Amino acid sequence: MDQEGELARRAAAGDGAAFAALVRQHQSKLRGFLRRLTRGDAALADDLAQETFLLAHRKLAQYRGEGSFSSWLLGIGWSCFLMERRRRKEETVDTLSEGSDTSLVQEAGPRIDLERAMARLIPEERAALTLCYALGHSHGEAAAILALPLGTLKSHVGRGREKLKAMLEAQS
Amino acid sequence: MTDDRELDALLSEPLAEVFDRGFSARVTARIERRAAWLDSAMFWAPLAVAAVAIPFLPVQELSAAVQRISPEIAGSGALAFAAAIMALTLSLDRSLQERA
């Protein structure tokens, strides 16, 4: 069992320090992923990240160590995001309002363009592209995280890329 | 900026680091609060149920039943034998513990 799996096993047995170590290790990746999904809404992303960790803590016994802990956590984060979206009956396509996210204005130019264009994709496309590119997961891993068939995941990646390309072309 | 390779490079840039700034501590504190709440619920819930149930207990019927079966229990040889074995076991256990 790798170090991550060992920490998860200890945390499931009630070791609070082991779970705290897992939170510290994974918080940046999870919060970054959720910020992308929430179109840069850092407060909402952090609320969802907290819910994700609480849910993960309750479900630790279900983690079998088959995939990486990170993938398992991102899957829970995605479920929390979907529940929130359902709760808010959020529209799936929206524009990122100007200056709504302070983290975006600190980024370099092309990155702002990308974030703005990303914000106009549907969440499934945002999630698929983020997992497969920025987080370096394979298509298979991303499909497992998002609980989608592999073909559907690939469609989201392809469509998302095409939309981004068109939007970035229009901006330049 | 619409070249496929450029788009791939842009998409592949790692997500910006999100600094902890007390986030992990807040998560851990929430988990500890929840655990403490569960512990106290596990302690108080049976007491609360008992407090609600006690006024509805059929006390008279219960005491009548105890009075009815007490002589039978007292006169039972099998129960007396079992009680003797239990007493012997307990005293043996205690003496072994004292020697240890």
Side-chain angles (χ1 to χ4, degrees):
Chain A
M1 190 178 275
D2 59 0
Q3 193 204 358
E4 207 172 53
E6 175 60 22
L7 276 176
R9 189 194 60 74
R10 280 172 41 206
D15 183 342
F19 190 73
L22 285 170
V23 175
R24 283 193 301 276
Q25 272 178 25
H26 296 283
Q27 62 85 21
S28 178
K29 191 175 186 179
L30 177 67
R31 289 163 79 195
F33 176 60
L34 289 167
R35 281 184 189 192
R36 181 65 70 79
L37 292 181
T38 57
R39 297 190 303 262
D41 186 337
L44 175 59
D46 281 3
D47 285 348
L48 290 173
Q50 277 206 24
E51 287 306 316
T52 302
F53 278 118
L54 292 178
L55 207 52
H57 184 258
R58 263 178 267 162
K59 290 180 161 185
L60 266 175
Q62 294 171 23
Y63 173 62
R64 303 268 173 242
E66 285 152 6
S68 72
F69 183 80
S70 166
S71 298
W72 183 70
L73 197 62
L74 289 169
I76 297 175
W78 172 245
S79 301
C80 285
F81 169 77
L82 290 181
M83 280 190 281
E84 179 66 17
R85 187 172 61 146
R86 242 172 265 135
R87 199 177 68 79
R88 293 183 175 215
K89 293 186 165 55
E90 183 188 79
E91 289 178 15
T92 52
V93 180
D94 194 4
T95 52
L96 187 68
S97 53
E98 289 287 336
S100 66
D101 174 35
T102 50
S103 71
L104 289 183
V105 295
Q106 294 162 3
E107 308 262 1
R111 183 120 178 191
I112 298 175
D113 293 341
L114 178 74
E115 295 296 341
R116 283 187 182 145
M118 269 279 186
R120 301 178 76 165
L121 302 179
I122 63 169
E124 285 77 4
E125 292 165 350
R126 277 203 297 277
L129 287 170
T130 304
L131 288 170
C132 294
Y133 286 91
L135 296 179
H137 288 280
S138 68
H139 282 169
E141 287 168 342
I145 290 168
L146 302 179
L148 292 173
L150 184 59
T152 310
L153 182 279
K154 286 181 178 174
S155 300
H156 285 312
V157 170
R159 268 201 299 271
R161 266 184 61 94
E162 288 311 308
K163 285 185 194 173
L164 278 182
K165 208 171 154 183
M167 283 188 265
L168 292 172
E169 261 177 357
Q171 278 179 21
S172 60
Chain B
M1 211 314 298
T2 51
D3 178 82
D4 277 340
R5 274 192 310 178
E6 281 181 273
L7 180 60
D8 281 348
L10 202 52
L11 281 170
S12 301
E13 278 181 28
L15 295 176
E17 165 109 31
V18 182
F19 296 105
D20 194 297
R21 294 200 177 108
F23 175 84
S24 300
R26 284 195 296 279
V27 170
T28 310
R30 269 189 76 177
I31 287 168
E32 282 167 3
R33 274 203 304 276
R34 187 175 170 275
W37 183 86
L38 276 176
D39 283 349
S40 90
M42 296 289 276
F43 177 78
W44 288 108
L47 291 180
V49 169
V52 170
I54 281 171
F56 299 103
L57 277 179
V59 177
Q60 285 184 336
E61 287 170 31
L62 281 173
S63 66
V66 169
Q67 280 174 6
R68 200 169 53 248
I69 62 171
S70 291
E72 289 175 31
I73 290 172
S76 164
L79 280 175
F81 181 69
I85 294 290
M86 197 181 291
L88 276 172
T89 309
L90 287 173
S91 62
L92 183 65
D93 181 54
R94 181 172 290 179
S95 65
L96 284 173
Q97 277 181 358
E98 281 169 5
R99 278 189 200 177

